[in-house]
Structures are given as C-alpha cells and as structure tokens.
C-alpha cells in the first residue's frame, strides 16, 4: 500500500483530480450518478484511483474462521446462523485457542496474511472476553493480521480487544438505512453505527461493508456506500458480499444479482473510499473468473481465501491461486510487525 500523504506532490499532482482528495461528504445523488456512468467510464475512473492508492496487481488474502457457529438470537434474514430459521446449522461453543491456532497456522502456510474470526453472537459477553483475548494472542503470535466479528461491543470490551492485539473489528451495516428494517428487526441501523463508533474510539481499525443481492434497489446500494463513505475517517476495510442464498432462511430463494451490478458496486466503493481495502467477499463461487477479473480491475484488492466462509463454501485455495496466476496478480506480502 502506498503512503497516505495527500500533501506529497507525487500524490497530489501525479493523478487526476478524482484521486486527489478523500471526501466524507458524498451525497446520495453524486453516488447514484457514479453508478449510472457508462461502465467503461466508471471502470476507468475507479481503476485510476485504485492504481494511485494501491499496487493494482496485489491482492490481500484473508482467511475466515467461524469460531462460534449458530444459535444466534438475531433475525438477519440472510443468515443461516440465526435461531429464527432452520438452515441446518448446528450451534457450537466457542472454539478452543488451540484449535484456532491450528487453523491460523494452516491459513498462514497457505499464504494468508490476515485471519478473520466470526462468532454468531448478538453481542460479546464479558464472560467470553478472556477466551477471546487469548485467541487474539495466539493468532497475533503467528504474525497474522487479526480481525474479529463478534456482534455489538461496549467501549470497555473494544478497548480490551485492542489491548489484546486485535487489528480490525468487522461490523457490517449490510445495506441502506431504509432497507435495513426489511432485513433485520432485532436491532437498528443506529445500533450498528454506535458499535462502529465505539470500535473507532478504542483505536481499532474498522472493517465494515454489506451485502448486495438481497432484493434491494440500486438506491439502497448507493445508500449503503454513502453511510460508509460519510464515516470520518472511512473504514480501513470494506467487504462487499454478494448474497449467498441459504436454504431455510427467508432470502434462501432470492434470484441472483446481475454480476455487473456487483462490479459497479465495487467500482463506486473504490472511488468513494480510495484508501480502503475493498474486499470481494462472499458469493465468489457464483462469479465467473471474468466477473472476478472485472471486480479486481474496478478496485477490489482483498478476497476471502480458503474453502470455507462461515457456514458455506468458497473457492478452493488451489483454484484461487490459479485465478491469481492467470490474471498476473500477486498475493500481498505480510506486513512488518
Ligand atoms: N454476528 C456478527 C454480526 O452479525 O456482526 C458476526 C457474524 S455475521 C455472519 C458477519 C456478516 O456476514 C454479516 O454482517 C453479513 O454481512 C455477512 N453474511 C452473513 N450471511 C451471509 C450470506 N448468506 N451471504 C452474504 N453475506 C452474509
Ligand atoms: C463479511 O463481510 N463477510 C464474511 C465476514 N465478513 C464475517 C461472512 C460471509 C458469510 C457468508 C455466509 C456463510 O458462510 O454463512
Ligand atoms: Fe447473528 Fe450475525 Fe447471523 Fe445476524 S448475521 S443472525 S447477528 S450471526
């Protein structure tokens, strides 16, 4: 990743006007105008910005591990881990630190530099904090970047995670404020934003994005990106998931989104948040190599790497290595500690 210095002449003048400034005042109309550009114009603009802020031929490999599966009291309509639906996912206890360490070692040996751990919780309970912080210590000790997603946090919990060595906290806003109520009723959009503020104030890096293809409109996709791009500072990491329709959930029969709309969403995310890692997240099994190549051109520079996401599949590691080789892309090297 290049230096974040907009007063550096190489940064300020060596690129087009579109790449010069980082803004947190994007309007819905401006964002919709970006979505509506001819695809070539949108891709050109996004790629120019991408190339200016990152090495365009490097992709960050993040491996995901479900450290506590199923039985979640929330009613997120897309999620196989909600106890409101029967998607056949068994509720498990939190994994042991030894088991997590073994999975993280395997991910590192396969080439991942970032390790993301998810728990199907509404919120973190203080009684689980010692086990969670011990897990962070294990993964950090392997020299991997750490990310966790554990639901809502209190300020004290966020600070304790930060002190334990957590780098990123993932907490997705999922969609626009307007559409959110159609998808989740057990918590509000504001609850999500409050946790994101708590995470930021604790000094953790913010990972926040959402899902496309849940039946939302383009206006909702623009609204989701507007919420993220008007956070100041922007999230350092923005996962864009394409809905994986999970049988047994209310969205289990949802028709797939047109892949080029995913490409457009990534391109707009890249233009709005030039310094963020934009992750081409869930749903890659449903995307052709060509669609994924367009996502990388549009500014995606991170993927989930490893044959499982949380409860569903992801391309096999060998398949992804072959895709990267075919496109002449390299895995991002580990960052110095
Ligand atoms: N329980 C925590 C929470 O909701 O913040 C953490 C785990 S939750 C599974 C993490 C994220 O995965 C969700 O916010 C959602 O964006 C994404 N996700 C879950 N199920 C998905 C699906 N079927 N398709 C695409 N993304 C999904
Ligand atoms: C994110 O934005 N996507 C990941 C991670 N953060 C936790 C989760 C994707 C889940 C896909 C469906 C499943 O495996 O259950
Ligand atoms: Fe629970 Fe997270 Fe799934 Fe919602 S997305 S049901 S909070 S695990």
């Amino acid at each position: 990743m290049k230096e974040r210095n907009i007063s550096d002449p190489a940064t300020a003048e060596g690129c087009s006007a579109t790449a010069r400034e980082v803004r947190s005042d994007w309007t819905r109309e401006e964002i919709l105008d970006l979505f509506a550009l001819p695809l070539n114009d949108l891709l050109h603009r996004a790629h120019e910005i991408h190339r200016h802020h990152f090495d365009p031929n490097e992709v960050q490999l993040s491996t995901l591990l479900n450290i506590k599966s199923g039985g979640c009291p929330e009613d997120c309509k897309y999620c196989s881990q909600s106890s409101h639906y029967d998607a056949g996912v068994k509720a498990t206890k939190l994994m042991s630190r030894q088991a997590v360490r073994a999975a993280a070692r395997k991910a590192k040996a396969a080439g991942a530099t970032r390790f993301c751990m998810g728990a199907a919780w509404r919120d973190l309970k203080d009684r689980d904090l010692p086990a969670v912080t011990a897990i962070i210590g294990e993964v950090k000790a392997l020299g991997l970047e750490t990310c966790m997603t554990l639901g809502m946090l209190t300020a004290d919990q966020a600070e304790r995670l930060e002190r334990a060595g957590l780098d990123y906290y993932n907490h997705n806003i999922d969609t626009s404020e307007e559409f959110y109520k159609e998808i989740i009723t057990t918590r509000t959009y504001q609850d999500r934003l409050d946790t994101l503020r708590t995470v930021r104030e604790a000094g953790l890096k913010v990972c926040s994005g959402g899902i496309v293809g849940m039946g939302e409109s383009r206006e909702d996709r623009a609204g989701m990106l507007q919420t993220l791009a008007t956070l100041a500072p922007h999230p350092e990491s923005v996962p864009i998931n394409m809905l994986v329709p999970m049988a047994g959930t209310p969205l289990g029969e949802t028709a797939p989104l047109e892949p080029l709309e995913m490409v457009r969403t990534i391109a707009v995310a890249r233009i709005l948040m030039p310094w963020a890692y934009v992750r081409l997240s869930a749903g890659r099994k449903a995307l052709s190599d060509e669609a994924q190549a367009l996502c990388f051109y549009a500014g995606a520079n991170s993927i989930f790497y490893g044959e499982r996401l949380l409860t569903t599949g992801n391309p096999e590691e060998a398949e992804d290595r072959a895709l990267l080789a075919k496109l002449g892309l390299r895995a991002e090297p580990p960052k110095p500690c």
Side-chain angles (χ1 to χ4, degrees):
M1 185 170 163
K2 298 184 181 176
E3 278 298 306
R4 260 177 203 264
N5 181 0
I6 56 167
S7 62
D8 175 351
T11 312
E13 285 160 23
C15 65
S16 77
T18 52
R20 271 185 211 151
E21 45 176 341
V22 173
R23 288 177 50 194
S24 294
D25 60 354
W26 291 95
T27 67
R28 186 79 63 101
E29 290 64 36
E30 285 176 304
I31 298 173
L32 280 167
D33 286 348
L34 290 172
F35 266 98
L37 283 172
L39 187 65
N40 283 341
D41 292 347
L42 175 60
L43 289 180
H44 179 72
R45 187 159 162 190
H47 187 73
E48 194 180 43
I49 289 175
H50 183 44
R51 186 166 271 277
H52 183 71
H53 294 83
F54 288 93
D55 181 332
N57 297 313
E58 248 178 42
V59 176
Q60 179 194 60
L61 303 183
S62 300
T63 294
L64 186 54
L65 179 68
N66 201 356
I67 59 171
K68 191 266 163 240
S69 168
C72 181
E74 301 282 59
D75 70 352
C76 314
K77 282 198 176 121
Y78 50 76
C79 187
S80 58
Q81 303 197 78
S82 165
S83 59
H84 294 253
Y85 321 119
D86 184 8
V89 172
K90 214 174 87 202
T92 63
K93 288 204 285 204
L94 183 63
M95 276 173 77
S96 69
R97 58 195 284 181
Q98 292 82 359
V100 177
R101 182 180 53 213
R105 284 174 87 109
K106 201 163 153 269
K108 187 178 177 184
T113 55
R114 183 163 165 186
F115 198 66
C116 305
M117 295 157 273
W121 284 326
R122 169 183 165 77
D123 48 15
L124 176 60
K125 301 284 185 288
D126 282 345
R127 63 170 182 267
D128 290 314
L129 250 174
V132 165
T133 52
I135 287 172
I136 295 168
E138 294 285 355
V139 177
K140 271 303 263 194
L142 296 172
L144 286 162
E145 274 194 306
T146 52
C147 178
M148 280 193 163
T149 180
L150 313 167
M152 292 184 262
L153 297 180
T154 65
D156 178 58
Q157 290 171 341
E159 282 160 22
R160 286 168 71 179
L161 295 177
E162 197 275 333
R163 284 203 298 274
L166 188 67
D167 297 305
Y168 286 83
Y169 195 77
N170 167 252
H171 201 65
N172 290 342
I173 56 157
D174 281 343
T175 187
S176 68
E177 182 162 17
E178 298 85 336
F179 195 65
Y180 198 78
K181 306 180 230 351
E182 309 289 323
I183 301 295
I184 300 151
T185 68
T186 49
R187 57 166 191 259
T188 64
Y189 208 62
Q190 192 56 49
D191 289 333
R192 273 333 240 189
L193 295 173
D194 290 348
T195 297
L196 287 175
R197 200 179 54 223
T198 300
V199 165
R200 176 62 79 198
E201 284 174 359
L204 289 160
K205 289 188 205 153
V206 170
C207 174
S208 187
I211 311 179
V212 297
M214 297 191 291
E216 76 287 343
S217 62
R218 181 178 273 183
E219 173 121 357
D220 292 312
R221 291 187 279 280
M224 171 179 92
L225 294 182
Q226 185 189 19
T227 300
L228 296 169
T230 51
L231 294 173
H234 294 160
E236 285 81 0
S237 170
V238 177
I240 306 290
N241 297 274
M242 220 170 68
L243 177 73
V244 182
M246 304 298 292
T249 66
L251 298 186
E253 302 290 319
T254 309
L257 184 75
E258 156 65 55
L260 286 179
E261 189 63 14
M262 175 72 171
V263 173
R264 281 185 186 272
T265 307
I266 286 179
V268 175
R270 169 54 65 220
I271 293 168
L272 303 184
M273 295 170 279
W275 287 108
Y277 280 88
V278 175
R279 186 168 318 108
L280 172 55
S281 300
R284 284 197 301 117
K285 270 177 92 95
L287 289 177
S288 66
D289 285 0
E290 292 77 11
Q292 292 188 64
L294 278 179
C295 290
F296 293 128
Y297 187 75
N301 60 346
S302 178
I303 55 171
F304 283 125
Y305 173 67
E307 63 189 15
R308 281 209 80 67
L309 292 170
L310 294 174
T311 66
T312 191
N314 194 45
E316 305 238 336
E317 285 155 4
E319 211 180 310
D320 274 341
R321 282 198 293 266
L323 174 64
L324 295 188
K326 185 158 80 171
L327 303 179
L329 297 173
R330 300 179 302 275
E332 188 188 69
K335 293 197 180 64
C337 294

